[in-house]
Amino acid sequence: MADIFDVIADGTRRDILQLLRERRDDARGTSVSQIVTELGVSQPTVSKHLKVLREAELVSVREEGQHR
């Protein structure tokens, strides 16, 4: 597992965490496409950063059909 400080040192990952924190009360969760739209970064970039955040156990993923 990566050092937590290395994980959160990246600005995009901090932005993702902040966005998820702000939306945590939404029972539907937040999809990757919503993060892409909100932050204005590409889907592969968001997916890459979410993988790092998942491996550090800072976020979890729920699959619903085609959505995560």
Side-chain angles (χ1 to χ4, degrees), residues 11-67:
T12 302
R13 287 194 282 268
R14 287 193 311 272
D15 291 343
I16 291 170
L17 287 171
Q18 179 65 30
L19 177 66
L20 294 173
R21 188 175 148 273
E22 291 169 356
R23 295 178 177 213
R24 70 176 169 236
D25 294 330
D26 185 348
R28 296 171 294 156
T30 302
S31 70
V32 171
S33 61
Q34 290 171 317
I35 297 170
V36 166
T37 300
E38 186 75 23
L39 299 181
V41 294
S42 70
Q43 183 274 325
T45 298
V46 170
S47 293
K48 178 186 86 167
H49 287 299
L50 284 173
K51 179 181 178 192
V52 173
L53 293 169
R54 276 193 317 272
E55 289 173 350
E57 299 180 355
L58 293 173
V59 299
S60 61
V61 176
R62 180 184 61 203
E63 295 182 33
E64 291 184 9
Q66 294 290 327
H67 298 279

